[in-house]
């Protein structure tokens, strides 16, 4: 039995180890990886390896793994990476596993600065990346400083702004809060929708020369071939959509692109080495195939995948809506409980106030009772005094009568008696006056006593009413709530490779591209808008972030790409407006422009 070969395949979020037969082809190994992780959209991916000369290479699916120039080590090392990018991630990426792998790889490219990303977009992407990690967690449950260990922004962005790590985290947290209700999968696709509008997203760059020998970049992406000047990877100068190309071939270092327009000359450029030319041809063929597939009806397999994904997302949405409903009901019951607790507290406060009022009324009543008792005692004392005075008056009257009788007997001493009589008369008058005063005073005290008794009766009635109202106040108990690729794989890998195999130098490699069904129509991608243009809210977010970050930016640390991006923004260019511009004119005119560069 032949000896098996051990292999380790690293994806963006997992590491897999297999053993395979030495006769296993690249396709068989790739299919085994795809089955293991549940990947069905295999047309976007490939297996990368480092060859014996140290160059990154894609595994050929048609050849046996062991006859390819894989670096000999145990186990053999491969990486599962995105090889081809879609035109629109939201429309074309179907499975959640596909979206996650794209998200992780694009995020790595942005953070590793393989794809240029302006600071404001980097902050917004960072906030979506945080949401993609934490999902719908309650933000109050996240501990302070939960972003401190996260790598969220490119090093270039951090270096260009005079902001501390805490200030960056604060800005990302503000935007993270905006995405609070998003699922992880939704956050990933929002991340990709913004990232796909970046100029370097999904572009494979290769160093080339035209017939004049000018150093240029060839960009191969989902929409076609673009030509860039050596010092500018953001803004292509000339573009050739796949719908204009009928054949691609190369012999040694010479590449020939044959346009559909028979009047246009061949588009010829030169690449530095055979190995790179093979990679360019593979990427052109793969991107063109997907370009054509997107413009045809979906296959039965894709239709089934879309239907299944739609059903799964609908089920998730229903479960999420149900969960949201439960959460809202629980929150409503919590609010109701809090409201009843507040009402209970208010009632308790009112009850306390009533009790205080009752005690105060009882104290006032007691004071009035004491006062009434004092008045009663005073009244009795006045009555006693009046009785005493009445007795004295009666005694005086008796004495007067006695004196009168004595006066009759004592005629002889009449003057003396007259004087005594006058004295008694004056005394009687004075006593009568005193009696009258005392009687009036007694009458006054009697009136006051009646008034006090009436007040006492009123106070008793008020007290009775207060006690009655207190007994009628309901005190409710609180109700308990129920538990309820890399996108910019620069061919410039500065391959210091020696001369290629001589046996291959004179071979011609050619690929015929079928485009007659398109009738040379490619307006669809040219009329496309960026996510910011389609989404006014996103546009405002980016503008607000840009203004905020401008105040802290250190202009002395701008990179050439920052300068190029700022100029594009100033003149109102974006990825798709540039695409429309570089495709203007017929194919011949653009080929001539390329030769003139």
């Amino acid at each position: 039995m032949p000896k098996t070969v051990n292999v380790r395949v690293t994806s963006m979020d997992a590491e897999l180890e297999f053993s395979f037969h030495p006769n296993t082809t690249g396709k068989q190994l790739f299919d085994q990886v795809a089955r293991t992780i549940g990947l069905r959209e295999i047309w976007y991916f490939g297996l990368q390896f480092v060859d014996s000369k140290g160059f990154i290479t894609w595994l050929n699916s048609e050849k046996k793994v062991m006859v390819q120039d894989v670096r000999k080590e145990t186990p053999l090392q491969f990486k599962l990476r995105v090889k081809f990018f879609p035109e629109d991630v939201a429309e074309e990426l179907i499975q959640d596993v596909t979206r996650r792998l794209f998200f992780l790889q694009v995020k790595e490219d942005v953070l590793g600065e393989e794809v240029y990303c302006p600071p404001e977009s980097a902050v917004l992407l960072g906030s979506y990346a945080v949401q993609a990690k934490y999902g719908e967690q309650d933000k109050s449950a996240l501990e302070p400083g939960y972003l401190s260990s996260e790598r969220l922004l490119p090093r270039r962005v951090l270096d260009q702004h005079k902001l501390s790590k805490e200030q960056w985290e604060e800005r990302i947290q503000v935007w993270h809060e905006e995405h609070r209700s998003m699922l992880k999968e939704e956050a990933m696709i929002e991340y990709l929708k913004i990232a796909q509008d970046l100029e370097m997203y999904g572009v494979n760059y290769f160093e080339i020369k035209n017939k004049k020998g000018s150093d240029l970049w060839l960009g191969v992406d989902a929409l076609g071939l673009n030509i860039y000047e050596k010092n500018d990877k953001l803004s292509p100068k000339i573009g050739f959509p796949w719908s204009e190309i009928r054949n691609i071939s190369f012999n040694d270092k010479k590449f020939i692109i044959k346009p559909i327009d028979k009047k246009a000359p061949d588009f010829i450029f030169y690449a530095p080495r055979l190995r790179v030319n093979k990679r360019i041809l593979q990427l052109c063929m793969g991107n063109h195939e997907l370009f054509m597939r997107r413009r045809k009806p979906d296959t039965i397999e894709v239709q089934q995948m879309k239907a299944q994904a739609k059903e799964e997302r609908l089920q998730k949405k229903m479960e999420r809506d149900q969960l949201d409903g439960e959460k809202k009901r629980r929150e409503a019951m919590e609010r109701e409980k809090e409201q009843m607790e507040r009402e209970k507290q208010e009632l308790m406060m009112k009850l306390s106030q009533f009790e205080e009022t009752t005690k105060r009324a009882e104290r006032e009543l007691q004071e009035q009772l004491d006062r009434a008792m004092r008045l009663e005692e005073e009244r009795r004392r006045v009555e006693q005094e009046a009785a005493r005075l009445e007795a004295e008056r009666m005694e005086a009257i008796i004495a007067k009568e006695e004196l009168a009788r004595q006066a009759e007997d004592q005629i002889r001493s009449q003057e003396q008696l007259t004087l005594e009589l006058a004295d008694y008369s004056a005394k009687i008058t004075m006593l009568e006056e005193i009696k009258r005063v005392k009687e009036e005073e007694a009458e006054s005290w009697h009136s006051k006593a009646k008034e006090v008794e009436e007040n006492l009766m009123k106070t008793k009635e008020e007290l009775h009413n207060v006690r009655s109202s207190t007994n009628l106040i309901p005190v409710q108990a609180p109700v308990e709530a129920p538990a309820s690729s890399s996108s910019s794989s620069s061919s410039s890998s500065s391959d210091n490779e020696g001369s290629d195999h001589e046996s291959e130098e004179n071979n011609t490699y050619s690929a015929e591209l079928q485009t007659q069904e398109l009738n040379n129509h490619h307006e669809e991608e040219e009329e496309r808008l960026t996510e910011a243009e389609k989404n006014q809210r996103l546009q405002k977010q980016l503008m607000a972030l840009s203004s905020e970050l401008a105040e802290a930016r250190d202009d002395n640390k701008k990179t050439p790409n920052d300068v190029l991006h700022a100029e594009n923004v100033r003149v109102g260019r974006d990825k798709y407006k540039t695409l429309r511009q570089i495709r203007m004119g017929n194919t011949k005119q653009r080929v001539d422009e390329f030769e003139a560069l």
Side-chain angles (χ1 to χ4, degrees):
M1 182 175 179
K3 184 179 179 182
T4 59
V5 180
N6 294 326
V7 60
R8 178 179 294 146
V9 179
T10 306
S11 71
M12 295 304 301
D13 61 352
E15 191 173 88
L16 311 172
E17 293 197 0
F18 304 101
S19 294
F20 64 85
H21 192 278
N23 291 329
T24 299
T25 64
K27 183 178 186 307
Q28 289 171 330
L29 177 60
F30 178 78
D31 288 345
Q32 186 175 1
V33 173
R35 283 195 303 272
T36 302
I37 65 174
L39 179 66
R40 295 179 65 189
E41 295 171 88
I42 56 176
W43 43 88
Y44 294 117
F45 297 89
L47 290 177
Q48 275 185 350
F49 65 90
V50 178
D51 64 20
S52 60
K53 295 181 180 178
F55 298 112
I56 296 176
T57 309
W58 291 102
L59 187 67
N60 189 320
S61 61
E62 303 302 324
K63 294 182 179 180
K64 294 178 181 179
V65 175
M66 298 310 294
V67 303
Q68 302 188 47
D69 191 18
V70 183
R71 178 185 287 173
K72 297 300 182 283
E73 51 187 333
T74 305
L76 297 180
Q77 302 284 339
F78 292 92
K79 290 182 179 180
L80 178 69
R81 291 293 183 267
V82 174
K83 188 175 183 180
F84 303 106
F85 286 78
E87 293 178 31
D88 188 338
V89 291
E91 292 294 326
E92 297 173 46
L93 300 185
I94 304 170
Q95 286 184 292
D96 286 341
V97 62
T98 309
R99 294 181 170 192
R100 185 175 71 255
L101 291 173
F102 264 85
F103 161 73
L104 292 172
Q105 183 163 330
V106 172
K107 185 179 79 163
E108 185 178 88
D109 291 340
V110 170
L111 295 179
E113 302 187 46
E114 296 293 327
V115 172
Y116 173 78
C117 181
E120 61 274 12
S121 296
V123 172
L124 195 56
L125 289 177
S127 67
Y128 280 116
V130 173
Q131 184 65 19
K133 177 176 181 178
Y134 292 100
E136 285 189 291
Q137 284 192 17
D138 185 358
K139 300 304 179 288
S140 61
L142 297 173
E143 297 180 359
Y146 68 97
L147 298 180
S148 58
S149 61
E150 302 289 340
R151 182 174 172 235
L152 300 171
L153 298 171
R155 176 86 281 177
R156 167 185 54 83
V157 174
L158 296 173
D159 293 340
Q160 287 175 345
H161 295 82
K162 300 171 184 176
L163 294 174
S164 67
K165 188 175 182 181
E166 291 73 21
Q167 288 174 313
W168 280 117
E169 290 174 8
E170 181 182 344
R171 280 158 176 77
I172 292 175
Q173 281 176 342
V174 169
W175 295 109
H176 180 203
E177 185 63 28
E178 289 275 316
H179 320 317
R180 183 174 62 86
S181 60
M182 276 189 186
L183 295 173
K184 291 181 181 181
E185 294 77 10
E186 292 172 337
M188 289 180 191
I189 207 68
E190 290 300 320
Y191 185 105
L192 291 172
K193 283 163 67 177
I194 296 171
Q196 73 182 355
D197 293 335
L198 300 175
E199 291 89 342
M200 295 176 70
Y201 166 89
V203 182
N204 289 274
Y205 293 93
F206 300 92
E207 289 180 328
I208 62 168
K209 295 178 184 288
N210 59 10
K211 290 179 181 178
K212 289 172 60 177
S214 302
D215 288 325
L216 302 166
W217 290 107
L218 171 71
V220 183
D221 65 15
L223 297 175
L225 301 176
N226 297 322
I227 305 299
Y228 300 78
E229 291 181 339
K230 191 64 177 177
N231 60 352
D232 184 0
K233 283 187 175 181
L234 297 186
S235 306
K237 303 305 175 188
I238 304 167
F240 298 93
W242 294 120
S243 57
E244 291 184 1
I245 300 172
R246 63 183 173 88
N247 180 276
I248 301 175
S249 63
F250 74 88
N251 184 294
D252 192 18
K253 299 180 181 181
K254 183 179 180 181
F255 237 102
I256 302 174
I257 310 293
K258 294 185 179 295
I260 287 179
D261 185 357
K262 299 295 178 65
K263 297 179 182 179
D266 291 345
F267 168 38
I268 299 172
F269 62 85
Y270 299 87
R273 53 189 55 84
L274 179 65
R275 190 183 303 272
V276 173
N277 287 349
K278 287 182 176 179
R279 187 174 174 194
I280 293 174
L281 183 62
Q282 286 177 359
L283 285 171
C284 288
M285 292 169 62
N287 275 301
H288 179 270
E289 181 185 349
L290 291 176
F291 181 86
M292 294 297 297
R293 181 188 294 187
R294 284 190 286 268
R295 282 149 182 80
K296 295 177 182 178
D298 290 334
T299 63
I300 297 298
E301 180 189 12
V302 171
Q303 290 179 35
Q304 290 173 344
M305 288 169 62
K306 285 185 175 181
Q308 181 181 351
K310 183 178 180 181
E311 184 178 348
E312 288 174 356
R313 291 190 180 110
L314 182 61
Q315 181 64 30
K316 282 185 180 179
K317 184 178 184 303
M318 291 173 61
E319 291 173 357
R320 183 184 176 191
D321 290 343
Q322 185 177 1
L323 182 61
D324 287 344
E326 289 292 333
K327 285 172 66 176
K328 287 178 181 177
R329 283 193 290 274
R330 169 169 272 184
E331 288 170 0
M333 295 184 75
E334 287 292 334
R335 286 195 299 271
E336 184 179 352
K337 180 181 177 182
E338 289 173 3
Q339 177 66 23
M340 296 185 71
E341 189 65 28
R342 284 195 298 271
E343 290 177 358
K344 176 189 172 184
Q345 293 297 328
E346 289 174 3
L347 290 172
M348 293 297 289
M349 287 177 64
K350 287 181 180 179
L351 180 60
S352 178
Q353 291 172 355
F354 285 141
E355 289 177 348
E356 185 64 29
T357 302
T358 302
K359 289 178 181 178
R360 189 168 56 250
E362 288 176 347
R363 285 195 300 271
E364 290 176 356
L365 177 60
Q366 188 61 43
E367 289 173 359
Q368 290 183 5
L369 286 172
D370 293 342
R371 185 180 174 192
M373 290 178 66
R374 288 195 301 271
L375 290 173
E376 182 64 23
E377 290 176 359
E378 187 67 20
R379 185 182 66 79
R380 285 198 297 270
R381 189 181 62 77
V382 170
E383 287 179 348
Q384 290 173 359
E385 184 68 18
R388 186 183 63 78
L389 291 172
E390 179 64 21
E392 289 181 355
R393 187 180 71 83
M394 293 301 296
E395 289 177 357
I397 291 173
I398 293 171
K400 179 181 177 183
E401 292 175 350
E402 181 65 26
L403 288 171
R405 284 193 299 272
Q406 290 177 1
E408 291 176 359
D409 295 338
Q410 298 175 358
I411 295 173
R412 289 185 298 234
S413 54
Q414 186 160 352
E415 290 180 1
Q416 184 178 353
L417 290 173
T418 300
L419 290 172
E420 290 177 0
L421 182 59
D423 288 340
Y424 278 108
S425 296
K427 186 175 181 181
I428 290 170
T429 301
M430 182 183 68
L431 290 172
E432 287 178 346
E433 181 64 21
I434 290 172
K435 178 186 176 184
R436 185 184 61 77
V437 171
K438 293 295 182 179
E439 286 177 346
E440 289 176 357
E441 187 176 352
E443 188 64 27
S444 172
W445 282 110
H446 186 67
S447 300
K448 288 180 180 180
K450 283 186 177 182
E451 183 180 348
V452 167
E453 286 178 357
E454 290 173 358
N455 287 340
L456 182 61
M457 293 301 295
K458 289 180 181 179
T459 302
K460 286 181 177 179
E461 290 176 1
E462 288 176 358
L463 179 60
H464 181 266
N465 291 336
V466 167
R467 285 176 172 165
S468 300
S469 62
T470 302
N471 293 334
L472 292 175
I473 295 173
V475 180
Q476 298 182 9
V479 178
E480 292 296 328
S484 14
S485 201
S486 43
S487 57
S488 66
S489 47
S490 172
S491 74
S492 61
S493 40
S494 300
D495 322 306
N496 295 322
E497 177 186 1
S499 60
D500 299 295
H501 298 298
E502 301 212 358
S503 60
E504 296 179 323
E505 285 186 356
N506 295 321
N507 290 343
T508 297
Y509 296 82
S510 177
E512 197 72 27
L513 306 183
Q514 303 298 321
T515 55
Q516 59 269 28
E517 309 146 36
L518 297 177
N519 297 322
N520 203 26
H521 289 305
H522 47 78
E523 291 84 0
E524 181 180 338
E525 61 263 25
E526 294 182 12
E527 296 303 319
R528 187 167 167 182
L529 301 175
T530 64
E531 192 65 23
E533 285 183 299
K534 291 186 286 186
N535 188 332
Q536 290 294 320
R537 184 168 174 272
L538 175 61
Q539 195 171 26
K540 290 178 181 177
Q541 286 179 327
L542 290 172
M543 290 176 64
L545 273 170
S546 181
S547 301
E548 184 180 353
L549 294 176
E551 300 174 4
R553 184 175 297 128
D554 185 352
D555 290 334
N556 294 325
K557 294 185 178 180
K558 279 188 175 180
T559 65
N561 279 343
D562 290 317
V563 176
L564 292 169
H565 175 73
E567 177 61 18
N568 286 343
V569 172
R570 188 186 68 79
V571 299
R573 274 199 302 263
D574 61 39
K575 183 174 182 177
Y576 306 109
K577 289 176 183 175
T578 301
L579 184 68
R580 290 193 287 274
Q581 182 180 349
I582 64 174
R583 290 183 175 183
M584 293 177 66
N586 58 37
T587 308
K588 180 179 183 304
Q589 289 173 325
R590 279 177 271 132
V591 172
D592 292 341
E593 286 179 29
F594 169 71
E595 297 299 346
L597 286 174

